[in-house]
């Protein structure tokens, strides 16, 4: 999860706050009848954080489009 908060720098008022989440499935494969093996992906954490940030920014934009920020 990631949290984003937009703050008015002049007044220190929080104008909007959203949370985003991300999930990434790791593929597993059978190894010659000895069970399953999941390959380690060094960028897995980066991918999950990226998806969470995209989710949070999309929510922030939707909030701005639906409610506007002019009177906050």
């Amino acid at each position: 999860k990631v949290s984003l908060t937009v703050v008015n720098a002049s007044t220190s008022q929080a104008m909007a706050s959203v949370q985003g989440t991300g999930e990434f499935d790791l593929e597993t494969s059978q190894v010659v009848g000895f069970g399953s093996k999941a390959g380690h992906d060094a960028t897995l954490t980066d991918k999950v954080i990226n998806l969470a940030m995209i989710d949070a920014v999309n929510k922030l934009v939707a909030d701005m489009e639906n409610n506007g920020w002019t009177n906050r």
Side-chain angles (χ1 to χ4, degrees):
K1 283 187 177 182
V2 296
S3 297
L4 300 178
T5 303
V6 177
V7 178
N8 182 324
S10 299
T11 64
S12 299
Q13 177 184 8
M15 299 176 66
S17 184
V18 295
Q19 285 190 342
T21 58
E23 291 184 24
F24 194 82
D25 289 329
L26 188 63
E27 292 183 18
T28 59
S29 59
Q30 191 85 20
V31 180
V32 195
F34 291 107
S36 62
K37 174 186 174 187
H40 176 70
D41 185 350
T43 61
L44 181 60
T45 301
D46 292 339
K47 290 176 184 177
V48 172
I49 291 172
N50 184 46
L51 292 172
M53 289 295 293
I54 290 170
D55 184 43
V57 169
N58 286 339
K59 289 177 181 177
L60 194 61
V61 170
D63 180 56
M64 190 173 85
E65 290 176 342
N66 293 331
N67 301 317
W69 288 0
T70 56
N71 295 326
R72 291 188 184 186

